Amino acid sequence: MKIAVTSKGRNLDSKVDPRFGRAAYILIIDTDTLEFEVVDNAKNANSFKGAGIQAAASISEKNAEVLLTGFCGPNAFKTLDTANVKVVSDVAGIVRDAVKNFNKGDISFTDAANVEGHW
Amino acid sequence: MIISIASGKGGTGKTTVATNLAFSLGKNVQLMDCDVEEPNSHLFLNPEIKDKQAVIAPVPLIDEDKCTWCKKCMEICRFGAIAVVGKKVITFPDLCHSCGGCMAVCPEHAVSEGDRELGDIETGSIKENLFVQGRLNVGQVMSPPIIKKILTLARDGMVNIIDAPPGTSCPVIAAMKGADFVLLVTEPTPFGLHDLALAVETVKILKIPHGIVINRAGMGNDGVKEYAKKEGIPILMEIPFDKKIAQVYSRGELIVEKMPEYKDKFLDLFDHINRLIKDPGDKGAGFK
């Protein structure tokens, strides 16, 4: 399964970026092999409006089925929900550990945004 | 005639100047409160509101039967108001700026116009004078359409006084465009000066004659006066940093009513504005 994890750096030992729409990078990770693709999110991070919506559309395009991140706002959540991408919020620590916890099933999916827009 | 009262910095006294100037003139005046995020001129003027009309802006409606998910609408939208995910399209009306780009680029003509209410405009009177105010709905961010609509209500042959929003972005420009004169209200502090300079840059681009009112004069420093001198901008009035004025304001009263000696000062201000509209280089106006 492919999952998306917001990341402050370009590899699995980077910290999870708590922001979704304005995360530095988004890693698209194969949970079986831990192979990953780096999505540079700089364009969204600096966008004027709708960063979460754009980021959600881009991970949907990469066929990620799940998103692990810190905070997810209402517009991003609505887009992810429409795209059938499940969301795990309040994720922190190192990306590799977040994936490990996910594989162990040590997570819970959220059914709503956990922050207001433009928090 | 349209006089737009702006500031750059918020809380410098735009409403104080607008309402007291309007009241001092006393007749043939229309006050137009364009500070649509929090219109408050009415608190001082107590107008009788007679009519209220909604301000509507178009937002995209997607016909999913025609859509081929080409994403052209999503790509042109600067504001992220449309997202195409898989074979679904979602729109975010609150983010839409009603530019019509999505409709223009859709090769399938799958985008049509829906309505969104941005806010409303109320009109009424204060004795024989007129009053207009706009109000942006909670949760909406796009105020220029409301302000532009208010401006269409400016009356020929009347003195139309605009209470503009703070800042120097689109809403302020909407409240200045078409004005015969922009009165910049500032306070003599580093913050006041910083934002005044931004507002001056804006007015210069719009090429509108302008002058400065210093409110709370006596506090802060001489930075604003030095700046005005250097830039050749007339200082048309100074309102002192006076506890009595603050008390009058905080009770929702007008300075010119409670301290009648100020009425002549506001009439003087109007006279200076008139002279500068006729001749922006009139050295007799301002330049104390």
Side-chain angles (χ1 to χ4, degrees):
Chain A
M1 179 202 283
K2 271 185 173 178
I3 67 170
V5 186
T6 52
S7 170
K8 290 190 169 182
R10 306 180 60 94
N11 60 56
L12 296 178
D13 295 310
S14 311
K15 277 191 173 160
V16 174
D17 197 321
R19 301 165 302 175
F20 171 52
R22 295 179 196 277
Y25 301 96
I26 299 173
L27 306 187
I28 308 293
I29 304 167
D30 185 313
T31 51
D32 299 325
T33 63
L34 289 189
E35 280 174 16
F36 64 94
E37 179 189 348
V38 180
V39 176
D40 187 336
N41 197 43
K43 192 169 158 257
N44 277 335
N46 296 318
S47 72
F48 181 48
K49 286 268 176 71
I53 296 165
Q54 298 293 324
S58 78
I59 67 166
S60 155
E61 207 163 295
K62 299 284 181 190
N63 298 316
E65 293 175 47
V66 172
L67 165 70
L68 310 184
T69 190
F71 307 108
C72 180
N75 287 344
F77 190 84
K78 183 178 162 188
T79 312
L80 292 162
D81 195 40
T82 306
N84 292 320
V85 178
K86 289 180 177 176
V87 180
V88 182
S89 53
D90 296 317
V91 175
I94 304 298
V95 173
R96 190 186 297 278
D97 297 338
V99 178
K100 210 181 279 175
N101 291 338
F102 174 78
N103 279 339
K104 277 195 293 190
D106 195 9
I107 46 105
S108 55
F109 293 111
T110 175
D111 55 5
N114 67 339
V115 285
E116 293 288 314
H118 308 282
W119 59 282
Chain B
M1 177 199 294
I2 302 176
I3 302 169
S4 185
I5 302 186
S7 70
K9 185 181 176 300
T12 56
K14 287 178 296 299
T15 301
T16 300
V17 172
T19 53
N20 282 284
L21 178 60
F23 191 88
S24 300
L25 293 172
K27 57 179 184 189
N28 207 26
V29 176
Q30 172 164 253
L31 192 125
M32 311 174 92
D33 196 340
C34 288
D35 192 359
V36 301
E37 287 182 49
E38 44 184 3
N40 63 345
S41 287
H42 68 99
L43 296 174
F44 300 90
L45 296 170
N46 304 307
E48 188 190 334
I49 300 296
K50 292 170 181 160
D51 188 41
K52 181 171 167 174
Q53 292 204 339
V55 180
I56 305 293
V59 289
L61 290 178
I62 312 291
D63 183 343
E64 298 224 17
D65 292 336
K66 290 183 183 168
C67 179
T68 56
W69 308 284
C70 72
K71 297 187 181 168
K72 287 196 169 80
C73 56
M74 178 179 179
E75 284 155 10
I76 198 169
C77 185
R78 264 191 79 183
F79 301 98
I82 301 187
V84 181
V85 284
K87 294 196 166 181
K88 287 174 192 157
V89 186
I90 39 178
T91 61
F92 297 88
D94 289 350
L95 298 181
C96 175
H97 278 53
S98 305
C99 71
C102 50
M103 273 179 79
V105 297
C106 180
E108 312 300 332
H109 304 291
V111 186
S112 60
E113 278 186 12
D115 279 347
R116 163 182 53 148
E117 190 181 319
L118 297 175
D120 54 59
I121 293 176
E122 291 175 311
T123 48
S125 61
I126 313 156
K127 292 179 187 156
E128 67 267 44
N129 300 298
L130 298 179
F131 179 85
V132 185
Q133 72 178 359
R135 195 185 297 272
L136 187 66
N137 284 352
V138 171
Q140 294 294 334
V141 293
M142 201 169 58
S143 59
I146 300 178
I147 296 170
K148 286 175 190 167
K149 190 114 185 237
I150 296 174
L151 269 282
T152 65
L153 301 175
R155 298 280 184 108
D156 285 340
M158 289 187 95
V159 180
N160 299 277
I161 297 175
I162 295 172
D163 190 359
T168 49
S169 59
C170 302
V172 182
I173 290 165
M176 287 178 173
K177 248 185 190 169
D180 298 293
F181 193 87
V182 173
L183 195 55
L184 297 165
V185 184
T186 189
E187 58 180 32
T189 63
F191 287 127
L193 173 57
H194 177 272
D195 290 4
L196 171 68
L198 295 175
V200 167
E201 293 303 310
T202 312
V203 181
K204 278 185 179 166
I205 292 168
L206 295 172
K207 297 192 172 67
I208 305 172
H210 50 282
I212 294 171
V213 171
I214 300 180
N215 190 19
R216 303 190 196 101
M219 74 184 296
N221 56 32
D222 288 334
V224 168
K225 284 186 180 171
E226 286 160 15
Y227 169 81
K229 197 170 178 187
K230 185 170 73 83
E231 294 288 321
I233 304 167
I235 293 172
L236 303 177
M237 185 183 190
E238 293 184 40
I239 303 170
F241 187 42
D242 180 338
K243 192 170 178 180
K244 200 169 163 199
I245 291 176
Q247 285 170 338
V248 167
Y249 176 86
S250 67
R251 284 194 294 264
E253 295 167 344
L254 292 165
I255 305 170
V256 291
E257 263 191 310
K258 298 292 161 183
M259 302 161 80
E261 67 271 24
Y262 275 92
K263 190 174 167 183
D264 280 347
K265 295 182 188 190
F266 277 98
L267 291 175
D268 228 28
L269 169 66
F270 182 66
D271 182 48
H272 282 311
I273 291 170
N274 262 319
R275 287 167 63 173
L276 287 165
I277 291 173
K278 287 193 189 98
D279 175 13
D282 186 342
K283 297 290 177 194
F287 298 109
K288 286 175 183 168

